Amino acid sequence: MKKKILIITTGGTIAMKHNSPFGVIPNDEFALQLKRFPKLDEIAKIDVYEFSNIPSPFMTPNKMVELSKTVDKKIKNFDGIVITHGTDTLEETAYLLNLTLKTTKPVVFTAAMRSGSELGLDGPRNIVGAVRVAGAQRSKGRGVLVVMNDEIDSAQDVVKTDSGKTDSFMSPSLGLLGIIDPDRVIYYRKSEILEKIYTKKIDTNIELIKCASGMDGKFIDTAIAKSTKAIVLEAFGRGNIPKTMLPAIDRALKKNIVIVIVSRTQTGRVIPEYGYEGGGLFLQKKGIILGGNLDGSKMRIKLMVLFGKYGNANDVKKHLIEGK
Ligand code: ASP
């Protein structure tokens, strides 16, 4: 029997066309086209639900939570869900859903790097691949998946690595989970760690600051002035920052603002290695938390979810340190 798959559309280039003189903009025929897409009908019984039709720079963490609620509500009537999304913020939305969804049924994000007016469209192929993955028995219990360019990645690991290429989505640290070849869904590995934080409440008062050489503490002071709950610092290498940021960091710690260090390098973990002023070990001794191998934008989402769940800095710190 054919699997029942719901496609939830949120917008993005996959639903856009070039419309002179406005450039590439959203097009409201996308949901309709999906319903009539013959290839999809051969694979599964398709239903379409339009959640939004926005470019993904318009996506917000609050909308992501609404999407998470929608998926948990709607999935009861389907075998799996495919979510179409803009590529720009896809990895953040997919990650928030990965943390917060209750369902273990397949939830698969897909997108397009090329709009409907370009040569060599990737969108239709990506949607067909995503529907195959959403309908595959073996996709269950793997967390939220991302299908692009015939590859299957975990929402925990995937990043947009290139602004234009169709093979932009990769998991640079840990690699892909599987492939679609040519119509078979093949898995090579399973995520050993599948992190869940069950809540549908978030606190968006979290800042992300990327460190650069010679930087001072003015962005941290701005965050303190707006009573930010937590700051993610994308630090150098193993988790080191310019010592000129330290006075502002001390001011933030005094206010019990949670500070988490991650690395601005594409792959690898931050560790308490360097003991000089501003080094990872020095920072950890001050009470700064080292954020493992998560990147800055995903750590920001995780802190929003953690503050939504616990509502206070001490429990959030405990969760981050003890991993629960
Ligand atoms: N700017 C577009 C968006 O993220 C790019 C895309 O969809 O690929 O909505």
Side-chain angles (χ1 to χ4, degrees):
M1 218 176 54
K2 272 191 203 166
K3 294 285 172 79
K4 280 173 72 183
I5 305 295
L6 176 67
I7 302 180
I8 300 182
T9 62
T10 69
T13 294
I14 199 162
M16 293 188 199
K17 272 190 172 161
H18 193 271
N19 190 343
S20 189
F22 308 110
V24 177
I25 53 169
N27 139 35
D28 51 16
E29 294 152 30
F30 180 61
L32 210 66
Q33 284 164 350
L34 277 177
K35 281 188 191 148
R36 297 197 199 122
F37 193 8
K39 189 77 193 164
L40 290 180
D41 239 27
E42 290 168 22
I43 308 168
K45 199 172 162 326
I46 301 291
D47 233 318
V48 180
Y49 173 77
E50 186 180 284
F51 174 83
S52 60
N53 192 6
I54 54 169
S56 77
F58 292 10
M59 184 55 79
T60 62
N62 283 322
K63 287 188 184 135
M64 295 173 197
V65 172
E66 284 314 306
L67 184 60
S68 177
K69 286 185 195 162
T70 305
V71 169
D72 265 335
K73 208 163 99 202
K74 293 213 174 266
I75 201 147
K76 296 183 185 95
N77 303 317
F78 294 90
D79 296 302
I81 287 186
V82 168
I83 300 172
T84 61
H85 197 285
T87 55
D88 288 349
T89 60
L90 184 151
E91 66 210 54
E92 292 179 48
T93 306
Y95 180 67
L96 185 138
L97 266 67
N98 186 70
L99 287 177
T100 57
L101 282 181
K102 288 239 162 77
T103 183
T104 56
K105 287 184 186 173
V107 175
V108 184
F109 275 75
T110 196
M113 294 296 291
R114 295 178 179 151
S115 80
S117 324
E118 278 184 78
L119 268 184
L121 282 188
D122 56 335
R125 190 177 178 95
N126 287 343
I127 290 180
V128 170
V131 168
R132 287 191 201 287
V133 170
Q137 190 64 23
R138 295 192 60 213
S139 299
K140 273 191 181 172
R142 291 181 186 269
V144 172
L145 302 169
V146 176
V147 166
M148 295 284 288
N149 199 42
D150 299 339
E151 294 179 352
I152 312 165
D153 289 276
S154 163
Q156 296 183 138
D157 310 326
V158 79
V159 280
K160 181 175 179 178
T161 65
D162 190 279
S163 59
K165 291 181 184 161
T166 51
D167 64 353
S168 168
F169 280 78
M170 292 185 193
S171 301
S173 227
L174 303 176
L176 46 72
L177 299 181
I179 56 169
I180 306 139
D181 184 29
D183 54 3
R184 273 185 60 206
V185 174
I186 301 164
Y187 283 104
Y188 294 118
R189 71 173 182 95
K190 203 166 187 147
S191 299
E192 205 54 55
I193 299 164
L194 206 51
E195 195 175 9
K196 285 284 170 196
I197 306 168
Y198 294 121
T199 177
K200 297 291 189 209
K201 237 176 95 187
I202 57 167
D203 188 328
T204 57
N205 197 4
I206 313 291
E207 299 302 332
L208 168 61
I209 299 172
K210 181 171 189 158
C211 297
S213 55
M215 208 156 144
D216 63 20
K218 67 167 124 12
F219 294 134
I220 294 173
D221 282 326
T222 305
I224 297 171
K226 68 174 274 251
S227 307
T228 292
K229 301 277 175 60
I231 300 169
V232 182
L233 288 180
E234 263 188 26
F236 309 130
R238 280 300 209 183
N240 316 307
I241 62 167
K243 68 175 180 187
T244 35
M245 295 177 85
L246 292 174
I249 283 189
D250 287 337
R251 287 190 282 278
L253 289 173
K254 247 193 217 139
K255 302 246 172 203
N256 206 21
I257 294 174
V258 177
I259 303 182
V260 181
I261 296 277
V262 295
S263 182
R264 69 173 201 178
T265 59
Q266 275 232 331
T267 63
R269 298 172 62 246
V270 288
I271 55 167
E273 185 173 11
Y274 295 99
Y276 59 78
E277 276 180 294
L281 175 62
F282 176 91
L283 296 174
Q284 193 187 48
K285 282 186 183 159
K286 271 185 176 299
I288 288 176
I289 293 163
L290 301 183
N293 70 347
L294 218 51
D295 68 31
S297 56
K298 285 186 179 143
M299 181 54 84
R300 171 177 169 267
I301 294 286
K302 180 169 169 175
L303 284 163
M304 288 181 184
V305 173
L306 284 175
F307 269 95
K309 176 166 174 153
Y310 296 113
N312 72 81
N314 292 343
D315 285 340
V316 169
K317 279 193 226 163
K318 200 165 162 234
H319 181 111
L320 288 167
I321 293 165
E322 294 172 10
K324 55 177 177 310

